[in-house]
Amino acid sequence: MTEPAPNLPSDVQEAMRKAGRLAWISLGFQLSIVTVLALVMGGSQALRTAWIEDMLSLLPPVAFLIAMKLERKPATRRFPFGFQRANSLAFLIAATALTAMGALMVYESAMTLAKGEHPTIGSVRWFGQEVWLGWPMMAALAYSVIPPVILGRMKLPLARKIADKVLHTDALMNKADWQTGLAAILGIGGVAFGLWWADAVAAGFIALSILRDGVNAMRVAIVELTDGAPRKLDSAEVDPLVDQITERLRRQHGDVAVQVRETGRYMRAVVGPPDTPHLPEEHARALVGDDEGWRLIEVAIEDRRSRRDA
Amino acid sequence: MKNLLVACLAGVALAGCGLPRDPARTTSQVSGGVLKAGLVQGPDVEADRAIILRLARQLDAQAEFQTGEAHQLVAALEKGQIHVIGGGLPAATPFKSHLGLSRPAGRLSGSPEGEKRVLAVRAGENGFLLALDRAIAAETRGRGQ
């Protein structure tokens, strides 16, 4: 028998469905923003950067949707544990995208300031009038700010509900998007007043906070992929549930070794004897053979009876 | 779309208060004074001279022309010694990142691919660039009629 995807409580299922819908809506808006910004981009370096960031922010919702689809598949002979780790991998992708966005922005603003580059923004011809391109840029950016504010706020409580770090990172990406957009509006406004450095300074401040969010998320993603203890949704601190689970398992089984790790949104705990960290060598050799016996370090026999005292 | 429209209207309104401004104050230096122009020798000198004369008229300034080689004119522009370069800059000029390029002023004479010709101001002088773009629009419209 292969393992089916884990059962979820109905309110969590409902929240997952909502999250999926939000991810699709995000993609739709994000694509429209990419298109609108491309139309007014002109030769502006600042707006080109904003555009690349918007392209990057397509990654988290895409990763989230693919991971969610995979995760529901039952285990197969080739994937005996199912696909829960797809979520961990998607988290790493989303976190990397966020970090890349922050790093790119920090670099761009630092270079602009270091070189003392004065941003040149030209004009377009609309209805027989030469219009400074800065104004339509600000309007396009104002449009690009609204959807991520709303979507990000809707995603945060859902991410908590379904314990989804990808969705949480996606919400952080939305925050990064609207803050960048707002910074760019202020920056172009500054440029209109002849303050050539306004754009780079505004973007630089936002970029540092995006970079910090991204690096934090990446740290947690790497922790998760190296079987670290489950972390809180929004920080690298160990989830207090880990201590609670450990303590309650010890209450049931006495002085045992408890290992808790995270596979995607799920937690897995292994209870072992306190004095034997790995499978005894002779047992392993009996199962695998003399040459490669050292590779088998754990055989877990799981206790899946329901317990009343838990 | 509504935002876009509002911003356009705001833009038209703001244009009245002299926005965008120039970080190096080119427009205010030139207005009522001297507009120093550099021309790259070539077949498009006369067309660009007309544009620059129109810009000078719009700013109530006297145009002063000098001719030279592109490198030297770009260096002078970056130092603020001249205000505008014309005479046959291709839209894909290698100096692009050091300059504020205008909207196309027409075809570049003698370019087999029919490349667009532009004029250039000092990088970041957005108000002055907008004035130049308006002069180009007025001049090319005038020639079309």
Side-chain angles (χ1 to χ4, degrees), chain A:
Chain A
M1 186 197 102
T2 57
E3 189 176 313
N7 273 332
L8 294 168
S10 61
D11 54 334
V12 174
Q13 273 180 32
E14 179 54 33
M16 300 250 303
R17 264 196 295 276
K18 256 195 215 157
R21 264 203 307 275
L22 274 185
W24 279 113
I25 294 171
S26 272
L27 277 180
F29 273 116
Q30 218 46 256
L31 281 172
S32 81
I33 289 168
V34 166
T35 314
V36 169
L37 286 185
L39 288 176
V40 296
M41 196 152 60
S44 156
Q45 186 61 49
L47 221 69
R48 201 193 316 276
T49 313
W51 187 72
I52 293 172
E53 287 150 21
D54 281 309
M55 291 292 272
L56 272 177
S57 59
L58 290 172
L59 273 175
V62 168
F64 173 76
L65 285 168
I66 293 174
M68 202 164 68
K69 188 120 199 145
L70 274 176
E71 197 187 308
R72 292 215 192 95
K73 286 173 58 157
T76 63
R77 198 174 67 82
R78 294 168 70 89
F79 289 89
F81 289 94
F83 298 87
Q84 295 155 13
R85 285 287 203 185
N87 181 275
S88 315
L89 198 55
F91 178 33
L92 183 65
I93 291 171
T96 309
L98 191 62
T99 308
M101 173 169 163
L104 176 74
M105 282 180 66
V106 169
Y107 172 80
E108 285 278 346
S109 359
M111 287 307 276
T112 306
L113 290 176
K115 285 199 211 148
E117 268 172 16
H118 293 198
T120 307
I121 301 176
S123 66
V124 278
R125 183 179 191 112
W126 272 355
F127 309 112
Q129 277 277 346
E130 314 305 312
V131 178
W132 189 50
L133 203 49
W135 310 130
M137 278 177 180
M138 284 167 90
L141 284 164
Y143 167 65
S144 83
V145 159
I146 300 162
V149 170
I150 299 169
L151 290 168
R153 275 182 189 247
M154 290 171 80
K155 281 171 191 166
L156 276 180
L158 283 178
R160 213 164 286 278
K161 177 102 198 160
I162 64 177
D164 199 304
K165 293 184 171 123
V166 190
L167 192 62
H168 186 259
T169 311
D170 188 20
L172 287 183
M173 189 64 129
N174 287 147
K175 188 176 98 182
D177 276 341
W178 72 255
Q179 287 183 342
T180 317
L182 211 60
I185 291 174
L186 291 177
I188 294 176
V191 169
F193 282 94
L195 311 172
W196 62 269
W197 43 263
D199 209 7
V201 169
F205 273 111
I206 301 298
L208 285 175
S209 99
I210 295 170
L211 188 61
R212 203 189 51 220
D213 280 349
V215 168
N216 277 342
M218 233 164 107
R219 261 174 65 197
V220 177
I222 289 167
V223 163
E224 189 176 322
L225 286 170
T226 19
D227 277 344
R231 298 301 202 259
K232 284 182 177 172
L233 194 61
D234 50 1
S235 77
E237 268 176 65
V238 174
D239 193 322
L241 281 176
V242 174
D243 284 340
Q244 185 193 316
I245 292 168
T246 307
E247 189 209 322
R248 290 189 183 176
L249 281 171
R250 288 213 172 114
R251 217 182 292 155
Q252 286 167 22
H253 299 280
D255 179 27
V256 289
V258 177
Q259 293 166 307
V260 187
R261 64 191 168 116
E262 201 165 19
T263 54
R265 77 185 78 251
Y266 303 99
M267 290 190 282
R268 290 168 181 261
V270 175
V271 175
D275 49 347
T276 322
H278 300 301
L279 194 65
E281 268 175 54
E282 62 276 18
H283 190 177
R285 272 205 293 273
L287 286 168
V288 184
D290 283 343
D291 286 347
E292 291 195 86
W294 58 271
R295 290 178 61 193
L296 189 67
I297 59 170
E298 182 180 75
V299 171
I301 298 171
E302 295 195 45
D303 178 5
R304 284 177 177 158
R305 291 162 299 176
S306 55
R307 306 187 70 107
R308 269 175 224 292
D309 58 347

Side-chain angles (χ1 to χ4, degrees), chain B residues 82-97:
Chain B
I82 57 176
H83 303 118
V84 61
I85 300 178
L89 279 180
T93 167
F95 300 109
K96 196 170 175 164
S97 58

Side-chain angles (χ1 to χ4, degrees), chain B:
Chain B
M1 248 22 254
K2 207 169 166 190
N3 280 331
L4 213 66
L5 207 66
V6 170
C8 288
L9 293 175
V12 172
L14 284 169
C17 2
L19 292 182
R21 288 185 200 152
D22 304 320
R25 302 170 175 279
T26 304
T27 309
S28 51
Q29 275 170 25
V30 169
S31 294
V34 180
L35 170 60
K36 293 178 191 155
L39 294 173
V40 184
Q41 271 309 352
D44 294 313
V45 162
E46 285 318 310
D48 283 0
R49 188 195 297 273
I51 290 168
I52 292 166
L53 283 171
R54 186 183 281 264
L55 175 64
R57 233 179 2 259
Q58 281 175 5
L59 295 173
D60 211 10
Q62 289 291 320
E64 243 178 54
F65 291 95
Q66 63 181 84
T67 51
E69 178 260 335
H71 262 98
Q72 166 219 337
L73 290 176
V74 169
L77 188 72
E78 282 189 292
K79 287 186 206 131
Q81 291 160 350
I82 57 176
H83 303 118
V84 61
I85 300 178
L89 279 180
T93 167
F95 300 109
K96 196 170 175 164
S97 58
H98 300 274
L99 299 171
L101 295 186
S102 73
R103 302 260 313 283
R107 287 282 155 83
L108 185 68
S109 301
S111 154
E113 297 93 27
E115 205 182 343
K116 296 277 194 332
R117 187 179 94 247
V118 295
L119 284 80
V121 303
R122 198 173 173 183
E125 298 300 277
N126 295 314
F128 190 58
L129 181 59
L130 185 59
L132 173 60
D133 279 347
R134 292 204 169 116
I136 290 171
E139 191 64 30
T140 45
R141 229 184 349 244
R143 220 183 304 141
Q145 279 161 8

